[in-house]
């Protein structure tokens, strides 16, 4: 029995239209549209997202499978056939359906027809194509008409232009010829809407206009980017300050936290598992104790023991890969860097001096620097950073990993970026996120 699998290559960065695969088109990011179409094609056994960043799967239908793409294949100088061959070799299927996220309007009917043509219709491959019956030229010469004997357009020989909507080919043929077009090829005719391929801003504007196209002339347009930071002002380098959470963003301190929490519980005669405490990471320490409903008479003992044990276990704390270099790159580019953490000042300063001695932060704020009870998710610490370096909140990003960080950023008027490598899960697909601090800095400075 012939097994059929669909493949959609996806990458985060694009030069001609930055972050195009994650721009908001209607109610979803651009990339999701083609996956929803493919999920509804019953002749497909599997649908694969071919990407170097597994985090994108959070934005896609649950039925989609992940095919890891080496980061070396994300480079602009990689040829299409090299990119596709790596995936084709690894997909367990007889027929491959290749689609692109930048063609959001390809229909399941077109996909079905293309698969059927190769599977049952005697064709070797299939491709979606736009039929052109107009006066066409090629290399300075008329292609399908004689200017001296003008025919009406309806009588012209049609020209077919491939679109990126769908290709179907046999795996064995591709591995032999290294191309998706083989032998007798079925051209699946598509209309102008299905043929839309998004490479430039004007293409995206066209897709917005055609999203809910009504032949009577009614359209629904939306100009909001799927990820809030991707608007033109952000791309014009208006970010002057990046404020970082500490735990789960710059440092991995969970091993030290666990040791300190066990010591604190022992001193207070409590038996509260560390994973219960860990749910509150990001909030000020005493707020976590209140969340755990611990008697306030024990708070001082617990906090003092915890701090002492955490300092003693500081050697267990490590910075995430590339942190020092990323911070230095921001500063070299003239971007200020600050920290807003729920860790107390003594431990924060000690950790920074030990792990990031080469970085001179423009400002560091802890719950000790604001009124009691006004730590995150209150905006005070973040606003403290902006005021200290004389930067407007709208020109600032807060990079955090927890919902408490996001709430603090929103209340402060900061742009929020989710640290996908940290402790918290990405709960809202409308957040912008990165898989590493290096990816974030690369995007911001590119």
């Amino acid at each position: 029995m012939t097994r059929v699998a669909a493949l959609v290559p996806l990458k985060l960065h694009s030069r001609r239209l930055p972050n195009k695969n994650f721009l908001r088109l209607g109610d979803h990011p651009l990339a999701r549209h083609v996956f929803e179409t493919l999920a509804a094609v019953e002749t497909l056994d599997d649908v694969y997202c071919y990407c170097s960043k597994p985090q994108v799967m959070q934005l896609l239908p649950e039925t989609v499978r992940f095919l890891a793409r080496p980061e070396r294949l994300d480079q602009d100088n990689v040829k299409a056939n090299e990119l596709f061959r790596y995936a084709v070799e690894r997909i367990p299927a007889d027929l491959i359906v290749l689609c692109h996220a930048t063609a959001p309007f390809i229909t399941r009917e077109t996909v079905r027809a293309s698969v059927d043509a190769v599977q049952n219709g005697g064709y070797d491959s299939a491709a979606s194509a736009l039929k052109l019956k107009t006066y066409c030229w090629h290399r300075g010469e008329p292609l399908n008409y004689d200017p001296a004997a003008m025919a009406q357009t309806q009588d012209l020989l049609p020209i077919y232009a491939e679109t990126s909507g769908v290709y179907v080919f046999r795996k064995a043929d591709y591995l032999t010829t290294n191309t998706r077009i083989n032998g007798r090829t079925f051209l699946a005719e598509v209309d102008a809407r299905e043929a839309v391929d998004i490479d430039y801003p004007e293409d995206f504007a066209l897709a917005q206009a055609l999203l809910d196209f009504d032949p009577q002339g009614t359209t629904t347009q939306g100009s909001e980017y799927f990820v809030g930071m991707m608007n033109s002002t952000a791309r014009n380098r208006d970010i002057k300050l990046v404020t970082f959470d500490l735990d789960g963003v710059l440092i991995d301190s969970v091993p030290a936290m666990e040791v300190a929490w066990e010591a604190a519980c022992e001193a207070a005669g409590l038996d509260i598992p560390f994973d219960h405490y860990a749910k509150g990471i990001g909030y000020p320490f005493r707020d976590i104790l209140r969340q755990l409903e611990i008697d306030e008479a024990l708070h001082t003992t617990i906090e003092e023991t915890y701090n002492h044990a955490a300092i003693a276990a500081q050697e267990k704390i490590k910075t995430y890969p590339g942190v020092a270099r990323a911070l230095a790159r921001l500063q070299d580019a003239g971007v200020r860097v600050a920290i807003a953490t729920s860790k107390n000042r003594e431990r924060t300063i000690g950790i920074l001096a030990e792990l990031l001695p080469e970085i001179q932060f423009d400002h560091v704020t802890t719950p000790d620097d604001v009124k009691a009870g006004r730590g995150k998710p209150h905006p005070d610490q973040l606003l403290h950073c902006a005021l200290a370096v004389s930067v407007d909140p709208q020109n600032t990003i807060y990079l955090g990993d927890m919902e408490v960080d996001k709430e603090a950023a929103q209340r402060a008027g900061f742009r929020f970026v989710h640290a996908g490598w940290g402790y918290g899960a990405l709960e809202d697909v409308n957040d912008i996120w990165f898989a590493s601090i290096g990816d974030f800095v690369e995007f911001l400075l590119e």
Side-chain angles (χ1 to χ4, degrees):
M1 184 176 179
T2 302
R3 189 166 187 83
V4 186
L7 168 69
V8 181
L10 203 62
K11 70 176 182 177
L12 267 64
H13 299 297
S14 53
R15 293 195 178 278
R16 289 174 290 192
L17 179 57
N19 209 56
K20 67 181 177 184
N21 288 320
F22 305 98
L23 302 183
R24 181 188 292 276
L25 182 62
D27 295 329
H28 300 299
L30 172 62
R32 188 178 177 100
H33 289 263
V34 69
F35 285 103
E36 290 194 337
T37 297
L38 293 172
V41 180
E42 64 283 350
T43 53
L44 299 179
D45 295 296
D46 297 296
V47 178
Y48 290 90
C49 172
Y50 178 37
C51 185
S52 62
K53 308 295 184 184
Q55 290 85 354
V56 302
M57 300 299 289
Q58 298 173 79
L59 306 177
L60 306 180
E62 292 182 356
T63 54
V64 175
R65 304 182 68 176
F66 180 69
L67 177 62
R69 163 176 166 172
E71 290 192 2
R72 64 179 174 80
L73 294 180
D74 287 340
Q75 303 303 313
D76 291 333
N77 60 354
V78 173
K79 302 296 184 184
N81 283 336
E82 179 186 359
L83 173 67
F84 300 147
R85 186 180 181 92
Y86 182 92
V88 171
E89 288 176 341
R90 287 158 178 78
I91 293 177
D94 305 293
L95 286 186
I96 307 293
V97 179
L98 174 63
C99 294
H100 292 84
T102 53
F105 301 134
I106 197 70
T107 64
R108 55 190 175 184
E109 291 77 19
T110 298
V111 175
R112 283 195 201 104
S114 301
V115 171
D116 186 63
V118 179
Q119 193 170 29
N120 306 308
Y123 289 90
D124 300 297
S125 59
S128 54
L130 180 64
K131 182 178 180 180
L132 301 173
K133 292 195 74 171
T134 188
Y135 305 113
C136 297
W137 287 63
H138 180 61
R139 294 184 175 179
E141 298 290 339
L143 186 61
N144 62 339
Y145 80 104
D146 181 357
M150 296 283 289
Q152 294 186 333
T153 54
Q154 61 266 31
D155 296 325
L156 292 176
L157 182 69
I159 301 296
Y160 289 87
E162 283 183 33
T163 76
S164 65
V166 62
Y167 291 90
V168 180
F169 47 86
R170 293 185 177 87
K171 176 176 180 175
D173 288 342
Y174 192 97
L175 296 181
T176 300
T177 65
N178 213 41
T179 181
R180 57 197 176 189
I181 298 295
N182 288 283
R184 185 171 177 237
T185 300
F186 172 75
L187 296 180
E189 289 188 25
V190 297
D191 60 21
R193 183 176 185 274
E194 270 194 276
V196 167
D197 185 16
I198 298 171
D199 275 326
Y200 297 95
E202 55 267 32
D203 300 325
F204 186 70
L206 176 61
Q208 288 179 304
L210 291 174
L211 180 62
D212 295 313
F213 176 70
D214 182 340
Q216 303 302 317
T218 302
T219 61
T220 299
Q221 295 188 1
S223 58
E224 181 184 359
Y225 280 116
F226 177 68
V227 285
M229 196 179 75
M230 303 307 176
N231 53 46
S232 59
T233 55
R235 301 301 300 161
N236 287 335
R237 305 283 181 88
D238 70 332
I239 300 301
K240 299 176 181 178
L241 168 67
V242 178
T243 301
F244 297 88
D245 183 26
L246 186 58
D247 298 282
V249 176
L250 300 183
I251 64 171
D252 181 7
S253 55
V254 164
M257 289 184 194
E258 191 164 4
V259 169
W261 181 248
E262 289 175 357
C265 285
E266 183 177 353
L270 299 175
D271 184 18
I272 300 176
F274 176 71
D275 60 350
H276 289 201
Y277 169 82
K279 292 177 182 178
I281 292 175
Y283 288 89
F285 187 79
R286 294 215 175 191
D287 287 354
I288 300 177
L289 300 186
R290 294 185 188 98
Q291 291 172 12
L292 294 172
E293 298 181 348
I294 295 174
D295 187 344
E296 294 211 11
L298 297 173
H299 285 194
T300 298
T301 296
I302 293 173
E303 185 171 21
E304 289 178 351
T305 305
Y306 184 97
N307 288 337
H308 179 77
I311 291 172
Q314 188 165 302
E315 76 280 356
K316 295 180 178 292
I317 301 174
K318 307 295 181 185
T319 59
Y320 285 103
V323 163
R325 183 175 186 278
L327 293 171
R329 285 193 65 196
L330 286 174
Q331 291 186 318
D332 289 345
V335 178
R336 305 282 192 89
V337 293
I339 286 178
T341 176
S342 293
K343 197 179 293 297
N344 69 29
R345 174 161 284 277
E346 178 186 9
R347 289 169 53 217
T348 297
I349 298 303
I351 289 169
L352 295 179
E354 176 70 23
L355 298 181
L356 293 168
E358 67 273 43
I359 304 299
Q360 184 67 41
F361 287 92
D362 292 281
H363 192 66
V364 175
T365 178
T366 72
D368 299 339
D369 302 309
V370 296
K371 288 184 178 179
R374 294 295 298 182
K376 294 182 295 184
H378 296 288
D380 301 35
Q381 283 183 248
L382 274 63
L383 292 172
H384 201 276
C385 290
L387 287 169
V389 298
S390 301
V391 171
D392 193 291
Q394 71 176 358
N395 301 122
T396 297
I397 289 171
Y398 186 47
L399 187 66
D401 66 319
M402 308 293 286
E403 286 296 316
V404 66
D405 300 322
K406 177 181 175 181
E407 183 179 345
Q410 291 174 333
R411 291 169 68 175
F414 283 31
R415 294 169 181 166
F416 177 70
V417 173
H418 182 94
W421 62 93
Y423 303 149
L426 183 69
E427 296 184 7
D428 186 348
V429 296
N430 288 302
D431 293 334
I432 179 172
W433 54 269
F434 290 90
S436 71
I437 190 171
D439 285 350
F440 164 69
V441 172
E442 184 69 29
F443 176 83
L444 192 66
L445 300 183
E446 72 177 9

